[in-house]
Amino acid sequence: VTVEACSVVPIGVLRTCWPDRWGVPRQAGLVPASWAVLELASHVPTDAIRGLEASSHVWLITWMHAVRGTRWTVRPPRLGGERLGVLATRGPHRPSRLGLSAVTLVEVDAPGRRLVLSGHDFADQTPVLDVKPYVPWADAIPGASTSWAPAPPAATPVRFSEAAEQAVAAQPALRALIAQTLAADPRQGSRDWSRVVVRVEAVDVAAIADGDTLLIERIVPWEARRDP
Amino acid sequence: VTVEACSVVPIGVLRTCWPDRWGVPRQAGLVPASWAVLELASHVPTDAIRGLEASSHVWLITWMHAVRGTRWTVRPPRLGGERLGVLATRGPHRPSRLGLSAVTLVEVDAPGRRLVLSGHDFADQTPVLDVKPYVPWADAIPGASTSWAPAPPAATPVRFSEAAEQAVAAQPALRALIAQTLAADPRQGSRDWSRVVVRVEAVDVAAIADGDTLLIERIVPWEARRDP
C-alpha cells in the first residue's frame, strides 16, 4: 500500500498559557487551570461555529508544530524504559504530527470569532485543523481501556519557595496554573530530573527536585532572564 | 489570522464492509457488526504498532476521501432543518476533510501489518492519517455533553422480505451487518425517503419505507446489477 499526502488548511491558530512546548502536559485534562484561545482564520466564516455553545467540550485536531521529527518507537514515561510503537501511544513524535485533545469549551465568542478553551495540552501558536463537538454516546466508551495507562499519572507534589510565593502573591490564577503545570511533571522525557525550567504565560518558573517533591525556587518575568 | 496548509502522509488505507459512502452510518459504534482492515503503508515500519494490542479501542483520524466539498453550515438530521455551523457538528462536509472515530480494535496482526477493526463509520478505501490508543481517563469525560445530541439516534425498525431473507439465509454475519446498516438509516441526508439502495460488502440492498419500518425487498450481488 502506498498513498499520497493529504493537505489541510488550518481553521485557526491557538494562543495558550504555555509559550513553548516544555510546560505542556502529556494529555488534555491534567491542568484544568490552563487556558487557550482559538482565533478563526480569515477564510473561515463566523457561521462555521454557529451552535457550538451547545457543547460543554470539544475535540481539537491540531498540528503539533513544535515537535521535531518522527520516532517510530518511543518510551512512555510510565513504562520505565519499555519501548512501544508510536502508534500504540499518544506521544507527540508521530508520523502525522496530528494532536487530538478533548478540552473544555469555556466560551464561544462569535462576534470576536474566538473560542475560549481550558484543560488543554497545546503549546502557544499551535495550528488547529478541526474542531468537533464532544458527543458522549460516540466518544465516551464504557469499558474501553489501554491496559498500561489505566489512570492519570499521579500528581507530583509541588512546593513554592518563599520568593516564588511572593512573586505570584497577587496572581492567584497564575499561581494555580504554575502549581498544576509542575504537578503534571514537565520533566518527563528530559534527561535531567534534578531541575526544570518552564515558561508559563509571561514568566519562567525554575524548580528543583527535593525528594519526591518539586520545589519552585524562582518565578521570574521573561524580560529579566533576557536582560539580566 | 492566516495560515499555511499542513501536509500529512497517510499511514495506511482501509478496506471496509461499505464499498461506497452511502451505507456508512453517521457515527462509529452504531453498527457493531461492521468490519474494517487497516493495512500499513509501505513506509511505516511494523514496529510502529508494537504494543497496540494493549488497547481495546483506538481513535482513527481519517481522510474522508469520498466526501465532496465543504459546507460551512449544515442541517443535522435530528434537528429537522435547523442549520448549525459545520464545526458545531460531526458532519462530513468539513473544511479539513478529517474524520475522527473511536472504534473497536479486534486484532493486531503484526506479521500481516494489519489492524482489524469493528464498530466503525468508514467507507472502503479511506486513507488513515493516524491511529491513537483510546485512553479512558483523557477521552471519556464524565458529564460532557452536546445538548442537541444527548443519545444515539433511535434505530429504524427493519424487516426482510422473503426473497431478501433467502438471499442471506446461509450468511448470518452478512444478514446482521445489513440489518444494522439499515437500522442506522442511511436515508439521512438524501431527498427521497421512500426508498434506499446501499452496498454492503459484495451485495446491493434495496429497501422501501413501509410506515416507520424499512422493508428490505432485494439483496442482489453487484454482478447481477451490472449485467442484468
Side-chain angles (χ1 to χ4, degrees):
Chain A
V1 179
T2 54
V3 282
E4 284 177 23
C6 303
S7 178
V8 181
V9 177
I11 58 168
V13 170
L14 290 159
R15 286 185 295 118
T16 87
C17 52
W18 293 301
D20 58 38
R21 70 192 175 94
W22 305 112
V24 172
R26 295 184 296 293
Q27 287 297 322
L30 292 175
V31 180
S34 59
W35 59 265
V37 177
L38 170 61
E39 190 172 344
L40 293 182
S42 49
H43 73 279
V44 178
T46 308
D47 257 0
I49 56 171
R50 190 198 301 172
L52 193 55
E53 63 277 4
S55 296
S56 67
H57 293 72
V58 289
W59 290 103
L60 265 62
I61 299 176
T62 59
W63 180 255
M64 294 188 286
H65 71 298
V67 176
R68 298 280 165 264
T70 296
R71 298 179 195 153
W72 292 109
T73 63
V74 297
R75 304 177 200 257
R78 71 168 83 208
L79 287 184
E82 189 185 338
R83 281 196 176 275
L84 295 183
V86 68
L87 300 179
T89 79
R90 297 284 276 260
H93 296 276
R94 322 184 68 77
S96 68
R97 302 185 74 155
L98 297 180
L100 175 64
S101 308
V103 303
T104 303
L105 179 58
V106 176
E107 188 192 349
V108 179
D109 171 12
R113 297 170 51 75
R114 293 183 308 185
L115 305 181
V116 182
L117 311 165
S118 69
H120 68 84
D121 56 350
F122 309 129
D124 191 44
Q125 301 303 316
T126 299
V128 175
L129 305 188
D130 205 350
V131 171
K132 298 176 191 270
Y134 192 93
V135 177
W137 56 265
D139 299 334
I141 301 180
S145 67
T146 288
S147 60
W148 54 272
T156 297
V158 171
R159 279 197 306 126
F160 286 67
S161 71
E162 202 171 315
E165 202 70 79
Q166 282 177 358
V168 291
Q171 296 160 279
L174 177 61
R175 187 192 186 284
L177 175 55
I178 290 171
Q180 291 177 17
T181 297
L182 287 173
D185 210 331
R187 291 176 299 180
Q188 303 286 0
S190 119
R191 288 187 192 172
D192 182 0
W193 280 64
S194 67
R195 56 179 52 253
V196 60
V197 178
V198 292
R199 287 188 169 174
V200 179
E201 295 184 0
V203 298
D204 278 333
V205 179
I208 58 165
D210 179 14
D212 289 343
T213 300
L214 273 175
L215 171 63
I216 301 175
E217 290 189 304
R218 283 172 297 115
I219 299 175
V220 193
W222 286 12
E223 290 71 19
R225 207 181 68 152
R226 281 189 200 130
D227 191 358
Chain B
V1 180
T2 53
V3 282
E4 286 177 23
C6 303
S7 178
V8 181
V9 176
I11 57 168
V13 171
L14 289 159
R15 286 185 295 121
T16 87
C17 51
W18 293 302
D20 58 40
R21 69 193 176 91
W22 305 112
V24 172
R26 293 184 298 292
Q27 288 295 325
L30 292 175
V31 181
S34 60
W35 60 264
V37 177
L38 170 60
E39 190 172 343
L40 293 181
S42 49
H43 73 280
V44 178
T46 308
D47 258 0
I49 56 171
R50 191 199 302 173
L52 193 55
E53 63 277 2
S55 296
S56 68
H57 293 71
V58 289
W59 291 102
L60 264 63
I61 300 177
T62 59
W63 180 255
M64 294 188 286
H65 71 297
V67 176
R68 297 282 165 260
T70 297
R71 298 178 196 155
W72 293 108
T73 63
V74 296
R75 304 178 199 259
R78 69 168 84 205
L79 288 183
E82 189 185 338
R83 279 195 178 276
L84 295 184
V86 69
L87 301 178
T89 78
R90 297 284 278 259
H93 296 277
R94 323 182 69 77
S96 69
R97 303 185 74 155
L98 297 181
L100 175 64
S101 308
V103 302
T104 302
L105 178 58
V106 176
E107 187 191 348
V108 179
D109 170 13
R113 298 169 50 75
R114 294 182 308 185
L115 305 181
V116 181
L117 310 164
S118 70
H120 69 86
D121 56 352
F122 310 127
D124 192 45
Q125 300 303 317
T126 299
V128 175
L129 306 188
D130 205 349
V131 171
K132 298 175 191 272
Y134 191 93
V135 176
W137 56 266
D139 300 334
I141 301 181
S145 66
T146 289
S147 60
W148 54 272
T156 297
V158 172
R159 279 198 305 127
F160 286 67
S161 73
E162 201 170 318
E165 202 69 79
Q166 283 179 358
V168 291
Q171 295 159 280
L174 177 60
R175 187 191 185 285
L177 175 57
I178 289 171
Q180 292 178 17
T181 297
L182 287 174
D185 210 332
R187 290 175 301 178
Q188 303 287 358
S190 122
R191 289 184 191 173
D192 181 0
W193 280 64
S194 67
R195 56 180 51 253
V196 60
V197 178
V198 293
R199 287 189 170 173
V200 179
E201 294 184 0
V203 299
D204 278 333
V205 179
I208 59 165
D210 179 15
D212 290 341
T213 299
L214 273 174
L215 171 64
I216 300 174
E217 291 188 305
R218 283 172 297 113
I219 299 175
V220 192
W222 286 13
E223 288 71 20
R225 205 181 70 155
R226 281 189 200 129
D227 191 354

